Amino acid sequence: MSLLLDAVPVPHHDLTGRTIVVVHAHPDDEAIFTGATIRRLADRGARVVLVTATAGEMGTPRVPLRGKDIGAVRVTELEHAAELLGVARLVLLGRRDSGMPGWESGQHAKALVRADLPAVASTVARLIESERAEAVVGYDADGIYGHPDHVAVHLIARHAASLAGVTSYDATVDREHLHFAGDHLVGGTGGNAAYGRVTAEISVALAATPYELGVKRAALLAHESQIGPEALETQFQETYELEWYLRRGPAAVLEELGNVHAWV
Ligand SMILES: [Zn+2]
């Protein structure tokens, strides 16, 4: 970790006029995996378009919903988190949370896994083009921890990037790093011990400043139906201060963020 934090400083570029599309599967993923990155992009003047594919209907609520629809609750939480992170535009794809493999929710007509993924990718590609975005963020090929909706987002973002001819970044986690950190939310989901990637596979890691880490924490807690302070108690800084990406295509806006370690 010290290697990353001691990385050669990169000049702070003004990113005004630059745009990136960040695709996520469920409300809360944007904060968990890319919260500090989005905040820094926005603070440097970049336009961040957040695309969220589903409303996270299968998330288990940790607070009473008082008769409210969980999807609606989670979208409201997402709007709050997006505001904290400085997202310029939030686009909802309107698909439904598929749940984990074998769940009945995966059979729902609107489940993301049942969508025509090339068609969804075309929609995202048109968004990239209309926003004149230079890059798109999705997930690694295993959806970071194997959630079928995350795997779908990988396919959507990669295909959209190739249709639009832009760089794609796969958000992931460094499982070697997390082995020595606290309990990352990703470790408790899916039961997949082989989540994320090993350090050597990662192209770019961003180390959050204390301010960015504070905003990330607030954005995580904005998802209060899913994430409570008790989930963030153990080694919060060590667990959440780094955000990791695999890049396909030429270096783009993430390499210009400063306090970034780029391996390739
Ligand atoms: Zn998710």
Side-chain angles (χ1 to χ4, degrees):
M1 185 178 68
S2 59
L3 173 72
L4 307 180
L5 298 176
D6 296 343
V8 178
V10 176
H12 289 183
H13 295 239
D14 177 4
L15 300 176
T16 304
R18 311 279 292 273
T19 301
I20 186 165
V21 171
V22 180
V23 187
H24 281 288
H26 313 108
D28 75 14
D29 291 319
E30 80 295 334
I32 296 170
F33 299 111
T34 60
T37 306
I38 293 175
R39 186 64 261 177
R40 188 176 304 177
L41 283 160
D43 287 340
R44 298 280 159 77
R47 177 174 169 82
V48 179
V49 178
L50 172 61
V51 177
T52 304
T54 80
E57 291 88 344
M58 300 312 294
T60 307
R62 53 173 289 283
V63 292
L65 296 179
R66 299 188 182 87
K68 284 185 270 182
D69 173 71
I70 185 161
V73 168
R74 296 198 66 183
V75 167
T76 301
E77 293 171 347
L78 174 63
E79 289 167 350
H80 182 204
E83 198 179 324
L84 290 169
L85 296 175
V87 168
R89 179 183 175 192
L90 172 61
V91 177
L92 303 173
L93 292 182
R95 303 302 306 194
R96 197 170 186 281
D97 191 337
S98 309
M100 293 307 287
W103 292 12
E104 206 174 300
S105 48
Q107 302 302 316
H108 193 285
K110 294 204 78 181
L112 179 60
V113 293
R114 294 195 63 192
D116 178 349
L117 296 184
V120 179
S122 296
T123 301
V124 175
R126 283 197 298 275
L127 178 68
I128 292 167
E129 287 161 357
S130 69
E131 287 281 356
R132 301 181 192 281
E134 65 184 83
V136 61
V137 175
Y139 302 129
D140 69 44
D142 302 306
I144 308 181
Y145 65 94
H147 193 299
D149 288 336
H150 286 235
V151 175
V153 163
H154 165 78
L155 297 170
I156 290 164
R158 273 289 179 89
H159 191 44
S162 74
L163 288 173
V166 300
T167 291
S168 68
Y169 293 98
D170 294 350
T172 187
V173 296
D174 179 340
R175 68 170 172 261
E176 293 179 275
H177 173 83
L178 289 182
H179 182 71
F180 296 103
D183 294 329
H184 192 284
L185 287 161
V186 78
T189 42
N192 184 355
Y195 59 82
R197 288 291 182 266
V198 296
T199 309
E201 293 178 273
I202 290 167
S203 316
V204 179
L206 176 140
T209 63
Y211 158 73
E212 290 161 352
L213 193 62
V215 174
K216 179 172 180 171
R217 184 184 173 88
L220 286 163
L221 294 174
H223 296 281
E224 69 167 339
S225 75
Q226 307 296 309
I227 302 169
E230 71 284 353
L232 308 178
E233 269 170 9
T234 329
Q235 294 181 271
F236 180 76
Q237 182 182 347
E238 292 80 356
T239 310
Y240 290 101
E241 69 182 342
L242 295 173
E243 292 176 352
W244 302 272
Y245 302 91
L246 317 170
R247 189 187 72 236
R248 176 174 288 194
V253 69
L254 291 196
E255 277 83 358
E256 295 183 44
L257 282 176
N259 194 14
V260 156
H261 190 101
W263 280 267
V264 290

